[in-house]
């Protein structure tokens, strides 16, 4: 495998692993816990590093995951004490841990390869340098295997607890009644988020973890409201962002993590405007079309009412301007629309209902 | 006194004071985390300002940061208003995507042949030690404008924060009030970026206000207390990091602030946890005494 391909595959694995817990984070409205956790783990990594003195020890991960869970526990404790609201509680705890981590690094870490830049920004371009050797054989980058393992874990947990997660996400009370502990599931989800964030931090940096956990699921949420479809769509959007982000980064010679985050944002922007159900542009066009359609029906009814009368004036475009209080431009547009639809025929200024138009007008009155 | 430490002290206490005062409103309006999004969103603005002007002036950087932070805030509001996506996800998206885009721009700038580009990364983690007179002057100007705005619109902000519907009913231009308050908050955040950095700036907004909230139920007292807490943490953080080697200013300030929050949560009269526990014990004692007396008689 070429290093480029290895980076792309690692990026896709990271994105899929992040997206799965991300879906539940945004549905439970705790998206920002991913931000808090991914920053707070810095302290756990640093403290564990000082204890074991080895940057590649698995104990670093355990320390980091423990810090992640501690962040959640402390935040929940402050919320439950009712002294501060949820947003303030989230925003208070993680800066403390992050600050401790930064101070420890700058005071004691000296020249070793452990700095806040690496944690925060990550550099997936370096992933291929760190090889996974097994029985003397080169099996690819370590990051690919470690994130692969986390992805398998996330997928396994999702399949195992899909029903429980779904119920606890959408109906907490029912879940508790049926006997699933929502608290246990919540902490399970947060532990998964911590493990994923820790695994991804040195590959892609904590900011990309946040971008991948929140943005593709939000994009998918604009496109569907079925949970299963939302998960599949999020995974696809995540992978598309990872690949296009890598391409963008290599074209511009810029940060890969930053480019992938930018691409998730671009995907969201596209969905925000063009989503078939909720897109800003689609809803605007739909409401505009509805307005035209409604006006056209009003015109048809007006024409039908006056069909038997011999006054020509009532059935002219000019009359519409007076009677309906429409502007000339709008009247012409509605007349054109009605002709296109086959509701009326037009002879100079005179309008005549077609049989189809008469039917539509009758239906409009009945409804 | 050392010139650098003096500059850092003035800058940090100024940042603490202004973000503390403005933070009170963010915390009361349950919008604490908007600060996190704004500070991250400012990064591409700073980078773009440099790319366009190729000048390293604090005023230009801050203008870029303000515009980007402002766009980010508007986007969050638009997403929440027009889609099913909730505020937490909207904030998280703006925060991470803007920051990611900022990183892309920063790496592009680093590839430029110009030598004059080192100052930009200071905004990531903050670097109070590099504050110059020019920076402090810019910060002073922004601080004065922000506090003057707060003073000028005090009544409107107060009403808007506690009873938005009533404000609307009274005929106040609620949307405009929200706009001005958000603008002032953006200014306060942008002001502190160079000192404490993008990541920790949200703590500067939240922590002093969260601490002040525990001591009082009156708005003006909360704002004053919050500003004092902020200024004291800024000052002492700057001093500590000035005299202890290898102690970064931003994180030190944040830790001092957080200690104040913890003390407030535990010991503040009426709301403090220890206070409450003590109160409850007294009450139980009193009740027991009364019962005993009744039993005897």
């Amino acid at each position: 495998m070429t290093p480029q391909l290895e980076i792309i595959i690692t990026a896709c694995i990271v994105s899929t692993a992040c997206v799965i817990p991300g879906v539940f984070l945004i549905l439970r409205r705790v998206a920002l816990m991913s931000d808090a956790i991914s920053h707070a783990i810095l302290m756990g990594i640093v403290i564990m590093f000082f204890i074991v003195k080895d940057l590649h020890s698995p104990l670093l991960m355990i320390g980091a995951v423990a810090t992640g869970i501690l962040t959640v526990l402390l935040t929940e404790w402050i919320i439950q004490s009712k002294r501060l609201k949820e947003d303030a509680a989230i925003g208070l705890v993680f800066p403390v841990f992050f600050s401790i981590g930064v101070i420890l690094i700058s005071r004691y870490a000296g020249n070793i390869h452990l700095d806040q830049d690496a944690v925060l920004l990550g550099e997936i371009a370096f992933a291929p340098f760190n090889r996974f050797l097994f029985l003397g054989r080169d099996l690819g980058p370590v990051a690919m295997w470690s994130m692969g393992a986390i992805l398998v874990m996330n997928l396994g947990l999702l399949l195992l607890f899909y029903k429980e997660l779904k119920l606890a996400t959408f109906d907490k009370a029912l879940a508790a009644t049926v006997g699933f502990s929502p608290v246990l599931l919540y902490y399970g989800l947060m532990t998964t988020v911590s493990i994923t964030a820790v695994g991804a931090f040195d590959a892609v940096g904590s900011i990309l973890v946040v971008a991948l956990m929140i943005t593709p699921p939000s994009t998918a949420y604009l496109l569907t409201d079925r949970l299963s479809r939302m998960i599949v769509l999020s995974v696809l959007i995540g992978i598309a962002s990872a690949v296009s982000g890598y391409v963008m980064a290599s074209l511009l010679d810029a940060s890969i993590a930053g480019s992938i985050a930018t691409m998730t944002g671009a995907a969201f922007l596209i969905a925000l405007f063009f989503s078939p159900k909720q897109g800003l542009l689609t809803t605007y066009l739909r409401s505009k079309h509805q307005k035209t359609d409604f006006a056209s029906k009003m015109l048809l009814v007006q024409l039908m009412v006056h069909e038997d009368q011999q006054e020509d004036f009532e059935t002219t475009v000019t009359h519409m301007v007076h009677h309906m209080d429409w502007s000339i431009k709008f009247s012409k547009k509605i007349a054109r629309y009605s002709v296109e639809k086959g509701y009326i025929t037009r002879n100079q200024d005179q309008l005549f209902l077609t049989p189809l138009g008469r039917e539509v007008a009758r239906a409009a009155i009945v409804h | 006194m050392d010139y650098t430490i003096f500059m850092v002290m003035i800058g940090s206490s100024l940042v603490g004071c202004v973000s503390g005062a403005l933070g009170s409103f963010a915390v009361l309006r349950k919008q604490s985390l908007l600060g996190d999004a704004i500070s991250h969103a400012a990064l591409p603005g700073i980078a773009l300002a440099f790319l366009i002007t190729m000048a390293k002036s604090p005023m230009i950087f801050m203008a870029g940061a303000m515009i980007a932070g402002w766009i980010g805030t508007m986007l969050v509001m638009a997403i929440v208003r027009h889609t099913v996506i909730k505020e937490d996800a909207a904030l998280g998206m703006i925060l991470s995507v803007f920051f990611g885009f900022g990183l892309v721009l920063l790496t592009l700038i680093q590839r430029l042949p110009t030598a004059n580009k080192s100052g930009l990364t200071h905004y990531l983690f903050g670097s109070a030690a590099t504050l110059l007179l020019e920076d402090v002057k810019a910060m002073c100007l922004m601080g004065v404008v922000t506090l003057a705005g707060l003073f000028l619109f005090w009544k409107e902000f107060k009403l808007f924060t506690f009873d938005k519907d009533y404000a609307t009913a009274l005929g106040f231009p609620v949307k405009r009030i929200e706009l001005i308050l958000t603008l002032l908050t953006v200014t306060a955040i942008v002001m502190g970026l160079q000192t404490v950095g993008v990541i920790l700036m949200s703590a500067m907004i939240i922590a002093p206000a969260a601490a002040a909230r525990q001591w009082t139920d009156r708005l003006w007292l909360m704002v004053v207390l919050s500003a004092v807490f902020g200024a004291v943490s800024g000052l002492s953080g700057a001093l500590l990091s000035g005299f202890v080697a290898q102690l970064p200013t931003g994180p030190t300030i944040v830790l001092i602030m957080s200690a104040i929050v913890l003390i407030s949560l535990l010991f503040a009269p009426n709301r403090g946890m220890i206070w409450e526990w003590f109160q409850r014990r007294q009450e139980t004692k009193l009740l027991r005494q009364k019962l005993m007396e009744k039993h005897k008689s």
Side-chain angles (χ1 to χ4, degrees), chain A residues 323-334:
Chain A
H323 195 109
M324 311 274 213
D325 206 13
W326 290 345
S327 70
I328 297 172
K329 201 175 141 200
F330 188 69
S331 307
K332 279 186 179 160
K333 183 182 151 197
I334 299 303

Side-chain angles (χ1 to χ4, degrees), chain B residues 150-171:
Chain B
L150 188 61
F151 197 69
L152 210 63
F153 295 104
W154 176 262
K155 187 180 64 199
E156 282 82 359
F157 288 167
K158 185 175 178 179
L159 187 59
F160 173 72
T161 303
F162 291 110
D163 201 337
K164 204 171 161 181
D165 298 330
Y166 187 52
T168 318
L170 284 181

